[in-house]
Short mmCIF file of all heavy atoms in Angstrom, two decimals:
data_model
loop_
_atom_site.label_atom_id
_atom_site.label_comp_id
_atom_site.label_asym_id
_atom_site.label_seq_id
_atom_site.Cartn_x
_atom_site.Cartn_y
_atom_site.Cartn_z
N LEU T 131 9.83 -9.94 6.52
CA LEU T 131 10.26 -10.48 5.22
C LEU T 131 10.89 -11.86 5.41
O LEU T 131 10.56 -12.82 4.69
CB LEU T 131 11.25 -9.52 4.57
CG LEU T 131 11.89 -10.00 3.26
CD1 LEU T 131 10.85 -10.20 2.18
CD2 LEU T 131 12.95 -9.00 2.80
N LEU T 132 11.79 -11.98 6.36
CA LEU T 132 12.45 -13.27 6.60
C LEU T 132 11.44 -14.33 7.02
O LEU T 132 11.52 -15.49 6.58
CB LEU T 132 13.53 -13.11 7.68
CG LEU T 132 14.75 -12.28 7.28
CD1 LEU T 132 15.65 -12.05 8.49
CD2 LEU T 132 15.54 -12.97 6.16
N GLU T 133 10.48 -13.96 7.85
CA GLU T 133 9.47 -14.92 8.29
C GLU T 133 8.59 -15.35 7.13
O GLU T 133 8.23 -16.54 7.00
CB GLU T 133 8.61 -14.30 9.39
CG GLU T 133 7.46 -15.16 9.87
CD GLU T 133 7.88 -16.48 10.48
OE1 GLU T 133 9.09 -16.64 10.81
OE2 GLU T 133 7.02 -17.37 10.62
N THR T 134 8.24 -14.40 6.26
CA THR T 134 7.41 -14.74 5.09
C THR T 134 8.16 -15.68 4.15
O THR T 134 7.59 -16.67 3.66
CB THR T 134 6.98 -13.47 4.35
OG1 THR T 134 6.26 -12.62 5.24
CG2 THR T 134 6.08 -13.81 3.16
N VAL T 135 9.43 -15.39 3.89
CA VAL T 135 10.23 -16.27 3.04
C VAL T 135 10.30 -17.67 3.64
O VAL T 135 10.15 -18.68 2.92
CB VAL T 135 11.64 -15.68 2.85
CG1 VAL T 135 12.56 -16.71 2.18
CG2 VAL T 135 11.59 -14.41 2.01
N ARG T 136 10.50 -17.76 4.95
CA ARG T 136 10.58 -19.06 5.60
C ARG T 136 9.28 -19.83 5.44
O ARG T 136 9.29 -21.03 5.10
CB ARG T 136 10.90 -18.87 7.09
CG ARG T 136 11.10 -20.18 7.84
CD ARG T 136 11.15 -19.96 9.34
NE ARG T 136 9.86 -19.54 9.87
CZ ARG T 136 8.84 -20.38 10.09
NH1 ARG T 136 8.97 -21.67 9.82
NH2 ARG T 136 7.70 -19.93 10.58
N ARG T 137 8.16 -19.17 5.65
CA ARG T 137 6.87 -19.85 5.55
C ARG T 137 6.57 -20.29 4.12
O ARG T 137 6.07 -21.39 3.88
CB ARG T 137 5.76 -18.93 6.05
CG ARG T 137 5.77 -18.71 7.55
CD ARG T 137 4.55 -17.93 7.98
NE ARG T 137 4.52 -17.73 9.41
CZ ARG T 137 3.51 -17.14 10.05
NH1 ARG T 137 2.48 -16.67 9.35
NH2 ARG T 137 3.54 -17.00 11.36
N VAL T 138 6.86 -19.40 3.17
CA VAL T 138 6.59 -19.75 1.77
C VAL T 138 7.39 -20.98 1.36
O VAL T 138 6.87 -21.90 0.71
CB VAL T 138 6.90 -18.55 0.85
CG1 VAL T 138 6.82 -18.96 -0.61
CG2 VAL T 138 5.94 -17.40 1.12
N ARG T 139 8.65 -21.01 1.74
CA ARG T 139 9.48 -22.17 1.39
C ARG T 139 9.00 -23.43 2.09
O ARG T 139 9.02 -24.52 1.51
CB ARG T 139 10.94 -21.88 1.74
CG ARG T 139 11.59 -20.89 0.76
CD ARG T 139 13.05 -20.74 1.02
NE ARG T 139 13.66 -19.87 0.00
CZ ARG T 139 14.60 -18.98 0.23
NH1 ARG T 139 15.06 -18.82 1.47
NH2 ARG T 139 15.08 -18.24 -0.74
N ALA T 140 8.57 -23.30 3.34
CA ALA T 140 8.09 -24.46 4.08
C ALA T 140 6.85 -25.06 3.42
O ALA T 140 6.58 -26.26 3.56
CB ALA T 140 7.79 -24.08 5.52
N GLU T 141 6.12 -24.22 2.70
CA GLU T 141 4.90 -24.68 2.03
C GLU T 141 5.15 -25.06 0.58
O GLU T 141 4.21 -25.29 -0.19
CB GLU T 141 3.84 -23.58 2.12
CG GLU T 141 3.38 -23.31 3.55
CD GLU T 141 2.70 -21.97 3.72
OE1 GLU T 141 2.41 -21.32 2.69
OE2 GLU T 141 2.48 -21.56 4.87
N GLY T 142 6.43 -25.10 0.18
CA GLY T 142 6.77 -25.53 -1.17
C GLY T 142 6.87 -24.43 -2.19
O GLY T 142 7.02 -24.71 -3.39
N GLY T 143 6.79 -23.16 -1.75
CA GLY T 143 6.91 -22.05 -2.68
C GLY T 143 8.34 -21.75 -3.07
O GLY T 143 9.30 -22.30 -2.49
N ARG T 144 8.49 -20.84 -4.05
CA ARG T 144 9.83 -20.46 -4.52
C ARG T 144 9.95 -18.94 -4.53
O ARG T 144 9.87 -18.31 -5.59
CB ARG T 144 10.07 -21.00 -5.93
CG ARG T 144 10.07 -22.52 -6.05
CD ARG T 144 10.47 -22.94 -7.44
NE ARG T 144 9.67 -22.27 -8.46
CZ ARG T 144 10.14 -21.82 -9.62
NH1 ARG T 144 11.42 -21.91 -9.90
NH2 ARG T 144 9.33 -21.25 -10.49
N PRO T 145 10.14 -18.32 -3.39
CA PRO T 145 10.29 -16.85 -3.38
C PRO T 145 11.59 -16.44 -4.07
O PRO T 145 12.67 -16.86 -3.67
CB PRO T 145 10.31 -16.51 -1.89
CG PRO T 145 10.76 -17.77 -1.21
CD PRO T 145 10.25 -18.90 -2.05
N ARG T 146 11.48 -15.63 -5.11
CA ARG T 146 12.65 -15.24 -5.89
C ARG T 146 12.78 -13.73 -6.09
O ARG T 146 13.86 -13.25 -6.38
CB ARG T 146 12.59 -15.90 -7.28
CG ARG T 146 12.67 -17.42 -7.24
CD ARG T 146 14.07 -17.90 -6.93
NE ARG T 146 14.16 -19.34 -6.91
CZ ARG T 146 14.29 -20.11 -8.00
NH1 ARG T 146 14.30 -19.56 -9.20
NH2 ARG T 146 14.38 -21.42 -7.88
N LEU T 147 11.65 -13.01 -6.00
CA LEU T 147 11.67 -11.58 -6.32
C LEU T 147 11.06 -10.76 -5.19
O LEU T 147 10.07 -11.17 -4.57
CB LEU T 147 10.85 -11.31 -7.59
CG LEU T 147 11.54 -11.41 -8.95
CD1 LEU T 147 10.52 -11.18 -10.05
CD2 LEU T 147 12.66 -10.40 -9.07
N LEU T 148 11.65 -9.58 -4.95
CA LEU T 148 11.09 -8.62 -4.01
C LEU T 148 10.91 -7.29 -4.73
O LEU T 148 11.86 -6.75 -5.31
CB LEU T 148 12.02 -8.43 -2.81
CG LEU T 148 11.63 -7.30 -1.84
CD1 LEU T 148 10.30 -7.61 -1.16
CD2 LEU T 148 12.74 -7.07 -0.81
N LEU T 149 9.69 -6.75 -4.73
CA LEU T 149 9.41 -5.43 -5.28
C LEU T 149 9.38 -4.42 -4.13
O LEU T 149 8.72 -4.66 -3.12
CB LEU T 149 8.06 -5.41 -6.00
CG LEU T 149 7.83 -6.42 -7.12
CD1 LEU T 149 6.48 -6.17 -7.78
CD2 LEU T 149 8.94 -6.39 -8.13
#
Side-chain angles (χ1 to χ4, degrees):
L131 175 63
L132 292 173
E133 176 62 15
T134 302
V135 170
R136 184 191 68 78
R137 289 187 179 184
V138 172
R139 286 187 175 141
E141 295 161 10
R144 297 187 307 141
R146 296 286 181 82
L147 272 177
L148 172 65
L149 304 184

